[in-house]
PDB file of all heavy atoms in Angstrom:
ATOM      1  N   GLN A  93     -13.091  -4.079   4.998  1.00 84.00           N
ATOM      2  CA  GLN A  93     -11.687  -3.931   4.627  1.00 84.00           C
ATOM      3  C   GLN A  93     -10.815  -3.700   5.862  1.00 84.00           C
ATOM      4  O   GLN A  93      -9.742  -4.300   5.994  1.00 84.00           O
ATOM      5  CB  GLN A  93     -11.546  -2.779   3.637  1.00 84.00           C
ATOM      6  CG  GLN A  93     -10.148  -2.597   3.094  1.00 84.00           C
ATOM      7  CD  GLN A  93     -10.066  -1.463   2.090  1.00 84.00           C
ATOM      8  OE1 GLN A  93     -10.873  -0.550   2.098  1.00 84.00           O
ATOM      9  NE2 GLN A  93      -9.087  -1.533   1.227  1.00 84.00           N
ATOM     10  N   GLN A  94     -11.274  -2.849   6.786  1.00 85.00           N
ATOM     11  CA  GLN A  94     -10.525  -2.592   8.018  1.00 85.00           C
ATOM     12  C   GLN A  94     -10.364  -3.876   8.828  1.00 85.00           C
ATOM     13  O   GLN A  94      -9.274  -4.169   9.330  1.00 85.00           O
ATOM     14  CB  GLN A  94     -11.236  -1.527   8.857  1.00 85.00           C
ATOM     15  CG  GLN A  94     -11.256  -0.153   8.258  1.00 85.00           C
ATOM     16  CD  GLN A  94      -9.884   0.441   8.161  1.00 85.00           C
ATOM     17  OE1 GLN A  94      -9.106   0.389   9.103  1.00 85.00           O
ATOM     18  NE2 GLN A  94      -9.557   0.991   7.012  1.00 85.00           N
ATOM     19  N   ASP A  95     -11.434  -4.632   8.954  1.00 90.00           N
ATOM     20  CA  ASP A  95     -11.389  -5.875   9.717  1.00 90.00           C
ATOM     21  C   ASP A  95     -10.459  -6.902   9.056  1.00 90.00           C
ATOM     22  O   ASP A  95      -9.732  -7.628   9.740  1.00 90.00           O
ATOM     23  CB  ASP A  95     -12.789  -6.462   9.894  1.00 90.00           C
ATOM     24  CG  ASP A  95     -13.666  -5.601  10.794  1.00 90.00           C
ATOM     25  OD1 ASP A  95     -13.131  -4.706  11.496  1.00 90.00           O
ATOM     26  OD2 ASP A  95     -14.896  -5.831  10.792  1.00 90.00           O
ATOM     27  N   ALA A  96     -10.488  -6.957   7.734  1.00 90.00           N
ATOM     28  CA  ALA A  96      -9.608  -7.887   7.015  1.00 90.00           C
ATOM     29  C   ALA A  96      -8.142  -7.510   7.213  1.00 90.00           C
ATOM     30  O   ALA A  96      -7.286  -8.377   7.401  1.00 90.00           O
ATOM     31  CB  ALA A  96      -9.959  -7.903   5.525  1.00 90.00           C
ATOM     32  N   ARG A  97      -7.847  -6.224   7.196  1.00 89.00           N
ATOM     33  CA  ARG A  97      -6.468  -5.774   7.420  1.00 89.00           C
ATOM     34  C   ARG A  97      -6.014  -6.136   8.837  1.00 89.00           C
ATOM     35  O   ARG A  97      -4.882  -6.583   9.034  1.00 89.00           O
ATOM     36  CB  ARG A  97      -6.355  -4.270   7.189  1.00 89.00           C
ATOM     37  CG  ARG A  97      -6.467  -3.885   5.734  1.00 89.00           C
ATOM     38  CD  ARG A  97      -6.579  -2.373   5.582  1.00 89.00           C
ATOM     39  NE  ARG A  97      -6.749  -2.018   4.209  1.00 89.00           N
ATOM     40  CZ  ARG A  97      -5.923  -1.233   3.539  1.00 89.00           C
ATOM     41  NH1 ARG A  97      -4.863  -0.717   4.129  1.00 89.00           N
ATOM     42  NH2 ARG A  97      -6.146  -0.952   2.281  1.00 89.00           N
ATOM     43  N   ALA A  98      -6.899  -5.952   9.802  1.00 90.00           N
ATOM     44  CA  ALA A  98      -6.556  -6.306  11.184  1.00 90.00           C
ATOM     45  C   ALA A  98      -6.300  -7.803  11.309  1.00 90.00           C
ATOM     46  O   ALA A  98      -5.367  -8.228  12.000  1.00 90.00           O
ATOM     47  CB  ALA A  98      -7.679  -5.867  12.127  1.00 90.00           C
ATOM     48  N   MET A  99      -7.118  -8.616  10.635  1.00 93.00           N
ATOM     49  CA  MET A  99      -6.929 -10.063  10.671  1.00 93.00           C
ATOM     50  C   MET A  99      -5.572 -10.451  10.065  1.00 93.00           C
ATOM     51  O   MET A  99      -4.860 -11.293  10.607  1.00 93.00           O
ATOM     52  CB  MET A  99      -8.050 -10.776   9.912  1.00 93.00           C
ATOM     53  CG  MET A  99      -7.940 -12.297   9.955  1.00 93.00           C
ATOM     54  SD  MET A  99      -9.163 -13.103   8.918  1.00 93.00           S
ATOM     55  CE  MET A  99      -8.546 -12.716   7.297  1.00 93.00           C
ATOM     56  N   LEU A 100      -5.203  -9.811   8.969  1.00 91.00           N
ATOM     57  CA  LEU A 100      -3.901 -10.106   8.352  1.00 91.00           C
ATOM     58  C   LEU A 100      -2.750  -9.779   9.300  1.00 91.00           C
ATOM     59  O   LEU A 100      -1.769 -10.520   9.364  1.00 91.00           O
ATOM     60  CB  LEU A 100      -3.741  -9.320   7.047  1.00 91.00           C
ATOM     61  CG  LEU A 100      -4.475  -9.874   5.851  1.00 91.00           C
ATOM     62  CD1 LEU A 100      -4.429  -8.897   4.687  1.00 91.00           C
ATOM     63  CD2 LEU A 100      -3.887 -11.218   5.443  1.00 91.00           C
ATOM     64  N   LEU A 101      -2.875  -8.680  10.031  1.00 91.00           N
ATOM     65  CA  LEU A 101      -1.820  -8.322  10.978  1.00 91.00           C
ATOM     66  C   LEU A 101      -1.727  -9.325  12.122  1.00 91.00           C
ATOM     67  O   LEU A 101      -0.644  -9.587  12.638  1.00 91.00           O
ATOM     68  CB  LEU A 101      -2.049  -6.921  11.540  1.00 91.00           C
ATOM     69  CG  LEU A 101      -1.855  -5.775  10.558  1.00 91.00           C
ATOM     70  CD1 LEU A 101      -2.176  -4.445  11.230  1.00 91.00           C
ATOM     71  CD2 LEU A 101      -0.449  -5.760   9.980  1.00 91.00           C
ATOM     72  N   ARG A 102      -2.861  -9.895  12.526  1.00 92.00           N
ATOM     73  CA  ARG A 102      -2.867 -10.886  13.609  1.00 92.00           C
ATOM     74  C   ARG A 102      -2.421 -12.259  13.121  1.00 92.00           C
ATOM     75  O   ARG A 102      -1.935 -13.060  13.908  1.00 92.00           O
ATOM     76  CB  ARG A 102      -4.263 -11.009  14.210  1.00 92.00           C
ATOM     77  CG  ARG A 102      -4.701  -9.862  15.067  1.00 92.00           C
ATOM     78  CD  ARG A 102      -6.005 -10.171  15.808  1.00 92.00           C
ATOM     79  NE  ARG A 102      -7.046 -10.731  14.971  1.00 92.00           N
ATOM     80  CZ  ARG A 102      -7.940 -10.026  14.273  1.00 92.00           C
ATOM     81  NH1 ARG A 102      -7.897  -8.709  14.318  1.00 92.00           N
ATOM     82  NH2 ARG A 102      -8.862 -10.626  13.548  1.00 92.00           N
ATOM     83  N   GLN A 103      -2.618 -12.556  11.836  1.00 93.00           N
ATOM     84  CA  GLN A 103      -2.354 -13.904  11.342  1.00 93.00           C
ATOM     85  C   GLN A 103      -1.175 -13.924  10.368  1.00 93.00           C
ATOM     86  O   GLN A 103      -0.042 -14.039  10.792  1.00 93.00           O
ATOM     87  CB  GLN A 103      -3.626 -14.479  10.712  1.00 93.00           C
ATOM     88  CG  GLN A 103      -4.732 -14.661  11.737  1.00 93.00           C
ATOM     89  CD  GLN A 103      -6.043 -15.140  11.115  1.00 93.00           C
ATOM     90  OE1 GLN A 103      -6.138 -15.390   9.934  1.00 93.00           O
ATOM     91  NE2 GLN A 103      -7.069 -15.266  11.935  1.00 93.00           N
ATOM     92  N   GLY A 104      -1.433 -13.816   9.085  1.00 90.00           N
ATOM     93  CA  GLY A 104      -0.407 -14.009   8.062  1.00 90.00           C
ATOM     94  C   GLY A 104       0.779 -13.064   8.146  1.00 90.00           C
ATOM     95  O   GLY A 104       1.896 -13.433   7.795  1.00 90.00           O
ATOM     96  N   LEU A 105       0.544 -11.846   8.621  1.00 90.00           N
ATOM     97  CA  LEU A 105       1.638 -10.868   8.711  1.00 90.00           C
ATOM     98  C   LEU A 105       2.058 -10.607  10.157  1.00 90.00           C
ATOM     99  O   LEU A 105       2.697  -9.603  10.451  1.00 90.00           O
ATOM    100  CB  LEU A 105       1.213  -9.548   8.038  1.00 90.00           C
ATOM    101  CG  LEU A 105       0.915  -9.634   6.549  1.00 90.00           C
ATOM    102  CD1 LEU A 105       0.388  -8.305   6.026  1.00 90.00           C
ATOM    103  CD2 LEU A 105       2.147 -10.065   5.776  1.00 90.00           C
ATOM    104  N   HIS A 106       1.712 -11.529  11.048  1.00 93.00           N
ATOM    105  CA  HIS A 106       1.995 -11.337  12.473  1.00 93.00           C
ATOM    106  C   HIS A 106       3.491 -11.136  12.745  1.00 93.00           C
ATOM    107  O   HIS A 106       3.872 -10.225  13.483  1.00 93.00           O
ATOM    108  CB  HIS A 106       1.453 -12.509  13.295  1.00 93.00           C
ATOM    109  CG  HIS A 106       1.687 -12.362  14.755  1.00 93.00           C
ATOM    110  ND1 HIS A 106       0.981 -11.476  15.533  1.00 93.00           N
ATOM    111  CD2 HIS A 106       2.580 -12.968  15.583  1.00 93.00           C
ATOM    112  CE1 HIS A 106       1.423 -11.541  16.774  1.00 93.00           C
ATOM    113  NE2 HIS A 106       2.375 -12.438  16.836  1.00 93.00           N
ATOM    114  N   ALA A 107       4.329 -11.985  12.160  1.00 94.00           N
ATOM    115  CA  ALA A 107       5.778 -11.860  12.394  1.00 94.00           C
ATOM    116  C   ALA A 107       6.301 -10.526  11.880  1.00 94.00           C
ATOM    117  O   ALA A 107       7.126  -9.875  12.544  1.00 94.00           O
ATOM    118  CB  ALA A 107       6.525 -13.020  11.729  1.00 94.00           C
ATOM    119  N   ASP A 108       5.821 -10.096  10.722  1.00 92.00           N
ATOM    120  CA  ASP A 108       6.248  -8.800  10.179  1.00 92.00           C
ATOM    121  C   ASP A 108       5.783  -7.655  11.076  1.00 92.00           C
ATOM    122  O   ASP A 108       6.521  -6.699  11.317  1.00 92.00           O
ATOM    123  CB  ASP A 108       5.683  -8.606   8.765  1.00 92.00           C
ATOM    124  CG  ASP A 108       6.206  -9.648   7.804  1.00 92.00           C
ATOM    125  OD1 ASP A 108       7.416  -9.662   7.551  1.00 92.00           O
ATOM    126  OD2 ASP A 108       5.391 -10.455   7.320  1.00 92.00           O
ATOM    127  N   PHE A 109       4.559  -7.775  11.568  1.00 92.00           N
ATOM    128  CA  PHE A 109       4.033  -6.737  12.453  1.00 92.00           C
ATOM    129  C   PHE A 109       4.845  -6.676  13.745  1.00 92.00           C
ATOM    130  O   PHE A 109       5.164  -5.588  14.236  1.00 92.00           O
ATOM    131  CB  PHE A 109       2.555  -6.988  12.758  1.00 92.00           C
ATOM    132  CG  PHE A 109       1.955  -5.940  13.654  1.00 92.00           C
ATOM    133  CD1 PHE A 109       1.715  -4.656  13.184  1.00 92.00           C
ATOM    134  CD2 PHE A 109       1.647  -6.226  14.971  1.00 92.00           C
ATOM    135  CE1 PHE A 109       1.179  -3.681  14.003  1.00 92.00           C
ATOM    136  CE2 PHE A 109       1.104  -5.259  15.804  1.00 92.00           C
ATOM    137  CZ  PHE A 109       0.869  -3.984  15.319  1.00 92.00           C
ATOM    138  N   GLN A 110       5.195  -7.824  14.304  1.00 95.00           N
ATOM    139  CA  GLN A 110       5.994  -7.848  15.525  1.00 95.00           C
ATOM    140  C   GLN A 110       7.373  -7.225  15.301  1.00 95.00           C
ATOM    141  O   GLN A 110       7.892  -6.514  16.169  1.00 95.00           O
ATOM    142  CB  GLN A 110       6.128  -9.281  16.055  1.00 95.00           C
ATOM    143  CG  GLN A 110       4.819  -9.848  16.587  1.00 95.00           C
ATOM    144  CD  GLN A 110       4.246  -9.016  17.723  1.00 95.00           C
ATOM    145  OE1 GLN A 110       4.941  -8.636  18.660  1.00 95.00           O
ATOM    146  NE2 GLN A 110       2.956  -8.703  17.632  1.00 95.00           N
ATOM    147  N   ARG A 111       7.945  -7.465  14.141  1.00 94.00           N
ATOM    148  CA  ARG A 111       9.243  -6.874  13.802  1.00 94.00           C
ATOM    149  C   ARG A 111       9.117  -5.348  13.708  1.00 94.00           C
ATOM    150  O   ARG A 111       9.949  -4.609  14.217  1.00 94.00           O
ATOM    151  CB  ARG A 111       9.761  -7.467  12.491  1.00 94.00           C
ATOM    152  CG  ARG A 111      11.200  -7.142  12.192  1.00 94.00           C
ATOM    153  CD  ARG A 111      11.813  -7.927  11.036  1.00 94.00           C
ATOM    154  NE  ARG A 111      10.919  -8.271   9.949  1.00 94.00           N
ATOM    155  CZ  ARG A 111      10.422  -9.503   9.722  1.00 94.00           C
ATOM    156  NH1 ARG A 111      10.740 -10.500  10.524  1.00 94.00           N
ATOM    157  NH2 ARG A 111       9.636  -9.736   8.698  1.00 94.00           N
ATOM    158  N   LEU A 112       8.042  -4.876  13.081  1.00 91.00           N
ATOM    159  CA  LEU A 112       7.793  -3.430  12.999  1.00 91.00           C
ATOM    160  C   LEU A 112       7.583  -2.847  14.395  1.00 91.00           C
ATOM    161  O   LEU A 112       8.108  -1.780  14.717  1.00 91.00           O
ATOM    162  CB  LEU A 112       6.568  -3.152  12.119  1.00 91.00           C
ATOM    163  CG  LEU A 112       6.117  -1.702  12.055  1.00 91.00           C
ATOM    164  CD1 LEU A 112       7.186  -0.818  11.414  1.00 91.00           C
ATOM    165  CD2 LEU A 112       4.797  -1.599  11.288  1.00 91.00           C
ATOM    166  N   LEU A 113       6.844  -3.551  15.228  1.00 93.00           N
ATOM    167  CA  LEU A 113       6.586  -3.088  16.593  1.00 93.00           C
ATOM    168  C   LEU A 113       7.899  -2.959  17.374  1.00 93.00           C
ATOM    169  O   LEU A 113       8.121  -1.953  18.059  1.00 93.00           O
ATOM    170  CB  LEU A 113       5.626  -4.042  17.301  1.00 93.00           C
ATOM    171  CG  LEU A 113       5.254  -3.723  18.741  1.00 93.00           C
ATOM    172  CD1 LEU A 113       4.610  -2.337  18.852  1.00 93.00           C
ATOM    173  CD2 LEU A 113       4.315  -4.796  19.290  1.00 93.00           C
ATOM    174  N   ARG A 114       8.769  -3.953  17.264  1.00 93.00           N
ATOM    175  CA  ARG A 114      10.070  -3.878  17.963  1.00 93.00           C
ATOM    176  C   ARG A 114      10.897  -2.703  17.454  1.00 93.00           C
ATOM    177  O   ARG A 114      11.528  -1.979  18.246  1.00 93.00           O
ATOM    178  CB  ARG A 114      10.842  -5.187  17.799  1.00 93.00           C
ATOM    179  CG  ARG A 114      10.307  -6.322  18.655  1.00 93.00           C
ATOM    180  CD  ARG A 114      11.230  -7.531  18.663  1.00 93.00           C
ATOM    181  NE  ARG A 114      11.489  -8.069  17.343  1.00 93.00           N
ATOM    182  CZ  ARG A 114      10.731  -8.975  16.721  1.00 93.00           C
ATOM    183  NH1 ARG A 114       9.641  -9.435  17.321  1.00 93.00           N
ATOM    184  NH2 ARG A 114      11.045  -9.423  15.527  1.00 93.00           N
TER     185      ARG A 114
END
Side-chain angles (χ1 to χ4, degrees):
Q93 185 179 24
Q94 293 294 314
D95 292 346
R97 289 171 183 239
M99 182 186 71
L100 282 171
L101 291 177
R102 287 189 312 272
Q103 295 176 3
L105 297 175
H106 181 73
D108 297 295
F109 181 71
Q110 291 301 313
R111 192 169 33 254
L112 174 64
L113 179 58
R114 285 190 302 273

